[in-house]
């Protein structure tokens, strides 16, 4: 630390010295106050902070030496505990296999309800008055009572619009609205995807049969449209629930072993996953310029049905060794598939209305408030800093698009 002190004294900007807040002296005397001031100055010095961070980074992951200091007989017992832990991992793997069997069993019970939901959405079935009656809870009734006046005004306008429009069939743009309401999916959507997803009528989850390796498939059912001839687009995920023999302690539930998409039979000129660009090329010798047309990949939700390229089987371990970027893409792809299976399909109507999104947001309210407070404090500090230059510090936002 002596070297750091010297460095601080020689390189410290005098302006920084003026910005240091005065610290009240405690009963212990001036020495403590000066020490605190010096410490504060050091912590505001970028060079010192960088040096400390480098030292701390070097300590991350370093063994404490405690295990090496244990007597041999104790180490022997620790090994016994680790062997027990491996057995626990194998039992946990069996647990997840049985969970998968339960999912498969209950999927068959849910399916008739999901089928009826699909019939209502695509106007194949008109629900009865009894089926359409919804009993509101007290909080909803209170909210409605406060908004009665606004509803009456809106009702008149809606009646006028209904007279002008034809009677809509089913629930138009049901799944498109669900996708647009969910951040994870809306980030994948492009404007040219929306006209296609208006034709999406249902999403089904198919689990592997009993006794077969763990897997599930997502089926996207479309009505006839002008974009492709497929009636169903599929995405399948293969999973494994067993500890890796070389690293059994890394087991944390089923992992994805591979995913398989499908070929989309696009109508000529309608493939939104590709775009045509024109590029000018200059001849090195003659200096003449020509314009060439080139087809390149285009951002689209429908790239979801074309998994990351790799040599089958598309295993995480293999990809991780060959290409870490592909591993990250595959992990993100599996997260999307899992979310559609676990949340979107079972609770689609609540994502359509936005109620499920509000529930999800409630889980993050406290953390969000804390983050806002911290950000507010930082902004306040910057505004109080006489040397703060907003234009100089501001960075233009960068757009990030997922896969």
């Amino acid at each position: 630390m002596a070297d750091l002190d010297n460095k601080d004294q020689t390189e410290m900007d005098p302006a920084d010295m003026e910005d240091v807040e005065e610290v009240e002296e405690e009963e212990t005397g001036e020495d403590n106050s000066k020490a605190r001031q010096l410490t504060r100055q050091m912590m505001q010095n970028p060079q010192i902070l960088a040096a400390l961070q480098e030292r701390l980074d070097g300590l991350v992951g370093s063994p404490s030496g405690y295990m090496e200091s244990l007597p041999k007989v104790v180490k022997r017992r620790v090994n016994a505990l680790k062997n027990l832990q491996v057995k626990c991992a194998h039992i946990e793997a069996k647990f997840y296999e049985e969970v998968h069997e339960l999912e498969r069993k209950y999927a068959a019970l849910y399916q008739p309800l999901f089928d009826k939901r699909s019939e209502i959405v695509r106007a194949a079935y008109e629900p009865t008055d009894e089926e359409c009656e919804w009993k509101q809870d007290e909080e909803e009734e209170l909210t409605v009572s406060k908004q009665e006046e606004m509803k009456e005004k809106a009702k008149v306008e809606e009646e006028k619009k209904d007279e002008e429009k034809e009677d809509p069939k089913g629930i138009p743009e049901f799944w498109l609205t669900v996708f647009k309401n969910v951040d994870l999916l809306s980030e994948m959507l492009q404007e040219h995807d929306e006209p296609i997803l208006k034709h999406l009528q249902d999403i089904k989850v198919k689990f592997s049969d009993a006794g077969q390796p763990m897997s599930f498939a997502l089926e996207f059912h479309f009505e006839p449209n002008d974009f492709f001839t497929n009636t169903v687009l599929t995405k399948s995920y293969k999973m494994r629930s067993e500890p890796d023999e070389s690293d059994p302690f890394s087991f944390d539930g089923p992992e994805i072993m591979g995913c398989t998409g499908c070929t989309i039979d696009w109508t000529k000129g309608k493939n939104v996953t590709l775009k045509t660009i024109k590029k000018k090329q200059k001849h090195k010798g003659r200096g003449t310029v020509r314009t060439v047309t080139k087809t390149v990949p285009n951002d689209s939700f429908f790239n979801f049905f074309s998994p990351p390229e790799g040599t089958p089987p598309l295993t995480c371990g293999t990809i991780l060794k060959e290409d870490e970027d592909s591993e990250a893409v595959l992990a993100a792809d599996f997260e999307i598939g899992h979310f559609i299976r676990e949340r979107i399909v079972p609770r689609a109507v609540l994502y359509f209305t936005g109620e499920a999104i509000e529930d999800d947001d409630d889980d993050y309210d406290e953390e969000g408030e804390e983050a806002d407070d911290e950000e507010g404090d930082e902004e306040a500090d910057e505004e109080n800093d006489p040397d703060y230059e907003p234009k100089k510090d501001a960075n233009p936002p960068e757009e990030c698009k997922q896969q």
Side-chain angles (χ1 to χ4, degrees):
M1 276 309 278
D3 294 337
L4 294 177
D5 292 342
N6 293 335
K7 189 174 184 180
D8 178 44
Q9 292 173 1
T10 57
E11 297 182 12
M12 178 82 73
D13 190 338
D16 293 337
M17 298 289 289
E18 296 175 2
D19 293 337
V20 176
E21 296 181 6
E22 294 183 2
V23 182
E24 293 184 8
E25 295 184 3
E26 297 181 359
E27 295 179 0
T28 52
E30 277 186 34
D31 290 342
N32 286 341
S33 176
K34 290 180 179 179
R36 286 194 297 272
Q37 281 189 348
L38 181 59
T39 301
R40 190 175 185 85
Q41 293 169 13
M42 290 169 58
M43 296 309 293
Q44 290 178 346
N45 188 301
Q47 290 91 356
I48 293 178
L49 289 176
L52 289 173
Q53 186 63 48
E54 186 176 352
R55 287 286 302 276
L56 291 173
D57 289 343
L59 295 175
V60 175
S62 301
S64 63
Y66 176 71
M67 285 299 300
E68 289 74 10
S69 67
L70 292 176
K72 189 174 182 179
V73 65
V74 177
K75 291 181 180 178
R76 180 173 172 273
R77 293 168 189 149
V78 171
N79 289 337
L81 296 184
K82 292 171 73 174
N83 286 326
L84 291 175
Q85 190 62 43
V86 171
K87 292 181 179 179
C88 287
H90 283 281
I91 292 175
E92 186 180 5
K94 293 296 181 184
F95 164 78
Y96 283 112
E97 287 180 1
E98 291 195 22
V99 168
H100 184 73
E101 288 300 313
L102 278 175
E103 285 184 314
R104 190 180 61 80
K105 172 185 175 182
Y106 279 89
L109 301 177
Y110 286 128
Q111 197 54 52
L113 302 178
F114 295 156
D115 288 342
K116 195 164 190 177
R117 176 181 70 188
S118 175
E119 291 176 352
I120 295 174
V121 167
R122 55 190 173 88
Y125 172 78
E126 183 62 34
T128 64
D129 291 340
E130 184 179 354
E131 290 174 321
C132 293
E133 185 178 353
W134 176 254
K135 185 178 180 181
Q136 297 173 327
D137 58 27
E138 294 180 1
E139 185 178 350
E140 287 177 331
E141 289 177 358
L142 182 62
T143 303
V144 170
S145 64
K146 289 181 180 180
Q147 297 179 350
E148 282 181 357
E149 185 177 347
M150 295 177 63
K151 279 194 171 184
E152 282 298 325
K153 294 180 180 179
K155 185 178 179 182
V156 176
E157 295 179 2
E158 287 179 3
E159 288 177 352
K160 291 181 179 179
K161 292 180 180 179
D162 288 341
E163 290 176 0
E164 298 173 358
K165 292 183 179 179
E166 296 182 2
D167 183 25
K169 303 297 181 184
I171 304 180
E173 302 182 15
F174 178 82
W175 289 102
L176 173 60
T177 303
V178 170
F179 277 41
K180 293 172 74 173
N181 282 346
V182 179
D183 289 342
L184 185 64
L185 301 178
S186 63
E187 290 174 359
M188 302 168 63
L189 289 183
Q190 306 298 320
E191 186 175 351
H192 48 250
D193 294 325
E194 295 187 15
I196 308 175
L197 288 172
K198 289 180 180 180
H199 298 283
L200 179 59
Q201 293 185 314
D202 197 13
I203 303 177
K204 295 182 179 181
V205 180
K206 299 292 184 181
F207 290 93
S208 54
D209 295 332
Q212 297 296 317
M214 292 178 63
S215 68
F216 71 91
L218 301 175
E219 296 183 352
F220 294 71
H221 293 253
F222 288 83
E223 64 182 354
N225 59 80
D226 297 331
F227 299 92
F228 46 72
T229 58
N230 310 67
T231 57
V232 181
L233 301 182
T234 61
K235 183 71 172 289
S236 303
Y237 293 89
K238 294 180 181 178
M239 297 181 292
R240 179 182 67 179
S241 182
E242 60 182 75
D244 187 343
E245 293 183 3
S246 62
D247 186 15
F249 301 131
S250 66
F251 180 75
D252 191 26
E255 60 179 343
I256 179 176
M257 293 302 297
C259 55
T260 306
C262 68
T263 300
I264 302 178
D265 299 321
W266 294 100
T267 304
K268 186 176 181 180
K270 298 290 187 177
N271 188 347
V272 295
T273 65
L274 298 174
K275 63 181 178 180
T276 302
I277 61 173
K278 293 182 178 181
K279 191 174 182 180
K280 291 184 178 181
Q281 294 180 341
K282 187 176 182 180
H283 194 281
K284 293 181 180 179
R286 297 190 297 270
T288 56
V289 178
R290 68 173 183 175
T291 301
V292 296
T293 303
K294 188 177 181 182
T295 301
V296 297
N298 192 27
D299 289 333
S300 169
F301 166 77
F302 291 90
N303 289 323
F304 177 68
F305 299 98
S306 300
E309 294 181 0
T311 302
L314 206 58
T315 60
C316 291
T318 302
I319 293 180
L320 183 58
K321 294 175 184 177
E322 296 177 0
D323 188 346
E324 292 183 359
D325 291 338
S326 295
E327 162 68 13
V329 171
L330 183 61
D333 181 275
F334 180 67
E335 180 185 357
I336 295 166
H338 182 74
F339 189 80
I340 293 174
R341 183 193 82 171
E342 286 284 315
R343 305 296 295 274
I344 299 299
V345 172
R347 309 178 71 198
V349 64
L350 300 182
Y351 283 100
F352 176 81
T353 61
E355 294 168 81
I357 301 166
E358 293 173 2
D359 292 341
D360 291 343
D361 290 343
D362 289 342
D363 296 336
Y364 297 94
D365 281 348
E366 185 175 351
E367 183 177 352
E369 290 172 2
E370 291 177 358
D372 292 341
D373 291 341
E374 292 175 1
E375 184 178 352
D377 292 341
E378 291 176 0
E379 291 177 356
D381 291 341
E382 291 173 344
E383 291 173 359
N384 295 330
D385 186 351
D387 298 327
Y388 173 61
E389 298 180 13
K391 294 182 180 179
K392 181 178 180 181
D393 292 349
N395 292 321
E398 296 182 1
E399 296 183 356
C400 298
K401 292 186 178 180
Q402 185 176 7
Q403 185 186 344

